[in-house]
Amino acid sequence: MIEARAQYPDTSSILNLRDTYDFVVVGGGTSGLVVASRLTENPNVHVLVLEAGANRLKDPRITTPGLALATWDNPDFDWEFMSTPQKDLNGRKVAQPRGKVLGGSAAINLNLIAYPSKSGIDSWGKLGNTGWDYETMLPYYQRFHTFTKPSKEVHDLLALDYMDPDLQGKTGPIQISFGDFHGPLHRAWPRTFKAMNLESTGDPLTGLGAGGHSNPSSVDPRTKTRSHAGSEYYNIEVANRPNIRVLTKALVEKVIFDGPSNNYATATGVQYTTTSGQHSVVYASKEVILAAGAFQSPQILELSGIGPKALLQSHGIDLVIDNGYVGENLQDHPLVGLSFEAAHDIPTGDILRDPKVFEAAVAEYNKSKTGFLTAATFCSAFMPIMDFLNGDGQARLEDLLDEFLLAGSNPVEFPAQKLQYNLISRILRSPDDSSGHYIMAPFQFNPHAGDKPTEYLNPTTPGNFMTLFAALSHPFSRGFVHIQSADPKDKPKIDPKYLSHPLDRELLARHVQYMETLVQTEPLTSLLKENGRRIPSGRHIMDLESAKTLGAETITSNFHPCGTCAMMPKELGGVVDERLMVHGTTNLRIVDASIIPLQPRGNIQSSVYAIAERAVDFIMEDFQLLG
C-alpha cells in the first residue's frame, strides 16, 4: 500500500490549537521560521508561530524570482508602510515595503545575497555585546544556506575567481546560486572594475572582500524558484511535524505579562485576533519570541507596555517597563539611482513592459524555467570614497568629521550615539573598508514617477536602460518608529530621517559623483548609447552640489531597516541584551533586524538569517535542549 503524499496543513485553521506551547513566535518571516524550524527538530519542543499575513507559498508571484514587483504595494503580500514626509528629501515620503505573508520579506524581495564586512560585525561587539564579532558569526552565515557552484561558463562570464568554494554553506536550507541567465552588462561589470584596478579583493564571506563583484541569488538552481524562509525552513517535512504549528492571518495585539516581580516581567502569552475579529490568547510555558521585524517588533513592545513612559501613557497603555529607547536608533541605507540608456542591441528587463514579451517570458519560465523571470544576477561593488584615499583627500575627510560628526539632530538622548559614530568613522578612515555600495540593475528607475515602488520601478520611459544605484553603507542619520495609537491595526509612525545628519549628505554625494566615472569606463561605456538619455532626464553629476541635489530629489529606501530594538546594554540605549533578551524581562526575546545595533553594509537578509540561527543556539543552551 502506497503512503499518501504529504500535504501542507491548513495554516489558517484554528482547529485543535493548543492553549499552551513551549514557545510562541510572533512573526512567520525570515527569522521567525528559522527559530521555529530549528527548535522543533527536537520532538519534545512545541512551537506556535503567529503570522499576520496569509500562506501564499505556492503563489507564482512569490515562487517566480522575476515577479517580485507584483507583490509590492499589494496588501495581499505587503504591509505597504510609508514614511513620514522627509524634511531633508524636500518633504517626500519614502515607501517601506515589508512582507505580510508567510516567509516575510524574504518572500517578496529581489533575492540578492550580500554579506557584511568584518569591521561592521565586529562593531556590534564594541557596542557592549560580548561575543558578537565576525569570527563568531561566520559559521551562522554558512549554516543558513547551501551554495551551488555555477557552471564554468557562468563562472568565467561573471569573473568569479575571487570566490572560495570551501567557504560557502554546504548544508543549509536556503539555496543560493548564480543562475544561468546573464547578459552583456553582467559580463562588463567586473571587467570595468578590473580596468580601474578595483576588482574584487576576495570572497565577500571573508568579511574583507571589496571592489566589483556579482551577487548570488536566493534561487534554487534545481527548480529555478525563490528560496526563502517559508519554502525552506517551513518545507513540507517541517510543516508536518506534530510539534510545530503555524497560524496565519493572526494579528498579534500584545504580549501578556505576569509581574513585574523583583523588577523583572515575565511573558506568559500573546493576545491576537484572527480575520473573524475574534480575540484569543495563547500561552507560552518557556518564552515568547518577537520576530516581527524592525517596524513591528517595537510596535508590539509598545502596545504591550514596554517603551517610552510618556508615549504609552498618552495612548492609555499600562506601563510594564519604561524604556525610552524602544523604537529609536532606526537605520536604513539611503539609495540614489541614475538610469542610463543602453546601446540599441543591449536588452534589459525594460523589454518586459511589452505585454506580448511579458507573456512570452511567463510561458518560457513555466515551460522550461529559463529566461528573464529566473532573475538575473545583480552586480555590486563595495567601495570607499576614492577621493579620500590620497593625502589631500584624507585631510578633507578629517575636516568633514571634525565639522559634522556630532552635528546630527536626535530629539532622544541616545547614549551610544557618539560610540556608534566613532566606529563608523574608523570604517571611513580605512582604505580597505567600504562606505558605499554600488549596484548595477538591468532595468530603469523613474524616481519622479511616484513614491511607491510600483511607480518608480515601472518602465514607463520608452527604450532600454541600465541603472546604477549608490547606497550609503553605514549611515549616520537615525530615525524612529513608534505607535500612533493603542490600536494594533493602526500602522506605526515611521520616520527614518534620511540625510538628517550632514555627513550622510556629504558622503553619499561623493559616491553618486563616482557613478559618472563608472559609466565612462570600458567595457561598460560601450554598452551604453553615446549621448544617450538618462533618467532623471539630462542629469549629469558634474559637481558635488548637483550630486547632493539629485540625492534629495530621488533617494528611496534600500529596504534594509534595522536597529529599533538595539542589542546593547540598556545604559547605552539598548532594548535587548547580548542574548537577545528584552531588558527587564525574564523570557521575552527578539530575533530579527530590529536588534542590529549598527547597520552592516549591503543587503541585510543574510545577517537576519545568521542572527536567527545564532538565537536558536542561545535558546537551546538556556533551556538545555542541545544534544
Side-chain angles (χ1 to χ4, degrees):
M1 189 173 175
I2 300 176
E3 184 178 349
R5 187 174 181 179
Q7 295 182 337
Y8 273 99
D10 179 3
T11 58
S12 65
S13 172
I14 62 172
L15 188 65
N16 297 323
L17 197 67
R18 296 168 52 161
D19 293 331
T20 303
Y21 290 81
D22 295 318
F23 299 91
V24 175
V25 178
V26 178
T30 310
S31 54
L33 289 177
V34 174
V35 172
S37 181
R38 292 301 196 190
L39 289 179
T40 55
E41 289 174 359
N42 182 329
N44 297 316
V45 175
H46 291 80
V47 177
L48 171 67
V49 179
L50 296 172
E51 166 56 42
N55 182 344
R56 302 186 186 278
L57 293 178
K58 301 301 181 183
D59 194 301
R61 289 167 288 185
I62 286 178
T63 60
T64 307
L67 292 183
L69 191 57
T71 66
W72 296 358
D73 306 328
N74 182 334
D76 288 341
F77 300 86
D78 180 7
W79 283 97
E80 299 181 285
F81 292 126
M82 187 71 72
S83 80
T84 60
Q86 296 295 284
K87 175 185 174 183
D88 295 288
L89 304 186
N90 303 329
R92 292 188 297 112
K93 296 180 180 180
V94 178
Q96 305 285 338
R98 295 283 89 195
K100 186 183 181 181
V101 69
L102 190 62
S105 294
I108 70 169
N109 66 15
L110 293 176
N111 305 295
L112 190 155
I113 294 292
Y115 296 106
S117 64
K118 181 180 186 299
S119 59
I121 301 303
D122 287 350
S123 69
W124 298 1
K126 295 170 183 175
L127 286 164
N129 301 303
T130 303
W132 285 85
D133 53 51
Y134 197 80
E135 182 180 359
T136 303
M137 287 300 293
L138 178 58
Y140 297 104
Y141 283 98
Q142 295 166 321
R143 182 187 293 182
F144 83 81
H145 79 273
T146 293
F147 174 73
T148 297
K149 291 174 60 175
S151 66
K152 185 179 186 305
E153 178 184 4
V154 170
H155 178 281
D156 293 344
L157 186 148
L158 299 178
L160 298 176
D161 287 345
Y162 60 84
M163 289 200 68
D164 180 355
D166 294 332
L167 200 59
Q168 313 307 311
K170 297 176 175 61
T171 60
I174 300 299
Q175 301 300 308
I176 293 179
S177 65
F178 277 101
D180 301 313
F181 188 80
H182 308 94
L185 290 166
H186 299 96
R187 180 182 181 85
W189 183 260
R191 291 161 178 83
T192 298
F193 280 86
K194 185 175 183 179
M196 298 186 292
N197 294 317
L198 295 171
E199 65 267 36
S200 180
T201 59
D203 194 303
L205 255 180
T206 62
L208 302 173
H213 62 280
S214 297
N215 296 93
S217 300
S218 49
V219 175
D220 190 321
R222 300 159 301 176
T223 63
K224 301 296 193 296
T225 56
R226 176 191 294 272
S227 182
H228 64 96
S231 63
E232 313 301 343
Y233 282 94
Y234 188 67
N235 60 33
I236 198 159
E237 178 184 348
V238 174
N240 280 280
R241 291 175 184 166
N243 57 330
I244 189 171
R245 184 70 184 270
V246 171
L247 182 62
T248 51
K249 300 183 179 181
L251 178 68
V252 168
E253 297 179 313
K254 63 180 180 179
V255 178
I256 299 171
F257 292 98
D258 181 17
S261 176
N262 297 321
N263 297 319
Y264 282 88
T266 298
T268 58
V270 168
Q271 179 177 305
Y272 66 95
T273 56
T274 59
T275 52
S276 67
Q278 177 181 347
H279 296 268
S280 301
V281 173
V282 63
Y283 296 98
S285 61
K286 288 183 168 63
E287 276 190 9
V288 173
I289 300 165
L290 292 185
F295 297 146
Q296 287 157 294
S297 282
Q299 178 190 23
I300 292 170
L301 283 184
E302 291 179 348
L303 291 171
S304 307
I306 299 179
K309 180 178 180 179
L311 175 69
L312 302 192
Q313 289 180 338
S314 72
H315 294 300
I317 297 172
D318 291 337
L319 184 69
V320 176
I321 297 170
D322 182 12
N323 187 336
Y325 308 124
V326 172
E328 296 294 323
N329 194 49
L330 174 59
Q331 301 160 63
D332 189 19
H333 294 133
L335 187 73
V336 176
L338 190 59
S339 296
F340 303 85
E341 189 172 12
H344 74 277
D345 58 344
I346 303 300
T348 72
D350 293 339
I351 66 173
L352 296 175
R353 72 163 69 81
D354 185 332
K356 292 183 179 179
V357 175
F358 179 75
E359 290 170 8
V362 171
E364 179 184 2
Y365 179 82
N366 289 337
K367 180 180 179 180
S368 60
K369 295 296 187 287
T370 57
F372 269 102
L373 298 185
T374 57
T377 301
F378 283 89
C379 297
S380 287
F382 291 123
M383 297 281 291
I385 294 174
M386 301 304 293
D387 288 346
F388 287 168
L389 297 185
N390 59 32
D392 290 342
Q394 292 171 0
R396 178 56 183 147
L397 172 60
E398 293 303 324
D399 288 343
L400 288 171
L401 292 173
D402 288 344
E403 182 177 1
F404 294 126
L405 186 62
L406 299 180
S409 60
N410 191 343
V412 172
E413 185 65 30
F414 199 73
Q417 182 171 283
K418 186 175 181 179
L419 179 55
Q420 288 179 330
Y421 287 177
N422 287 336
L423 289 168
I424 298 173
S425 298
R426 290 186 200 176
I427 292 173
L428 289 173
R429 291 186 176 104
S430 170
D432 299 321
D433 251 313
S434 58
S435 59
H437 181 197
Y438 296 90
I439 305 170
M440 188 279 288
F443 51 75
Q444 65 181 257
F445 170 66
N446 291 278
H448 293 151
D451 294 332
K452 296 181 178 180
T454 48
E455 295 170 335
Y456 59 70
L457 292 178
N458 188 18
T460 53
T461 303
N464 290 332
F465 289 80
M466 177 275 295
T467 299
L468 287 183
F469 291 102
L472 205 55
S473 293
H474 306 286
F476 287 89
S477 299
R478 297 289 181 270
F480 65 81
V481 54
H482 289 300
I483 57 172
Q484 302 189 81
S485 79
D487 188 344
K489 296 187 291 299
D490 288 347
K491 293 178 181 179
K493 180 179 182 180
I494 299 169
D495 187 356
K497 296 188 179 296
Y498 294 114
L499 300 191
S500 61
H501 195 292
L503 276 175
D504 286 354
R505 292 195 295 275
E506 296 288 338
L507 300 174
L508 184 56
R510 287 165 169 80
H511 282 296
V512 171
Q513 271 190 296
Y514 198 70
M515 294 196 294
E516 293 286 357
T517 301
L518 293 177
V519 298
Q520 293 170 24
T521 304
E522 293 288 1
L524 185 58
T525 301
S526 294
L527 302 182
L528 305 177
K529 184 173 289 187
E530 188 175 0
N531 298 318
R533 294 170 295 160
R534 295 184 174 199
I535 308 173
S537 178
R539 300 303 284 270
H540 289 74
I541 311 302
M542 306 308 295
D543 54 52
L544 198 59
E545 289 308 310
S546 60
K548 292 178 182 178
T549 299
L550 182 69
E553 289 181 5
T554 68
I555 276 177
T556 62
S557 172
N558 209 2
F559 313 141
H560 305 150
C562 65
T564 51
C565 297
M567 173 179 62
M568 289 187 293
K570 189 174 181 181
E571 58 269 24
L572 285 181
V575 177
V576 302
D577 65 20
E578 61 201 28
R579 295 182 75 82
L580 311 186
M581 196 70 71
V582 174
H583 291 304
T585 74
T586 61
N587 66 337
L588 177 61
R589 210 179 297 251
I590 302 181
V591 183
D592 57 34
S594 71
I595 67 97
I596 294 174
L598 196 65
Q599 183 147 42
R601 75 177 187 186
N603 300 51
I604 64 173
Q605 175 180 205
S606 64
S607 292
V608 174
Y609 279 126
I611 288 167
E613 287 281 11
R614 190 175 191 195
V616 171
D617 279 0
F618 289 157
I619 296 166
M620 295 176 75
E621 290 165 4
D622 290 350
F623 290 95
Q624 300 180 346
L625 300 174
L626 294 169

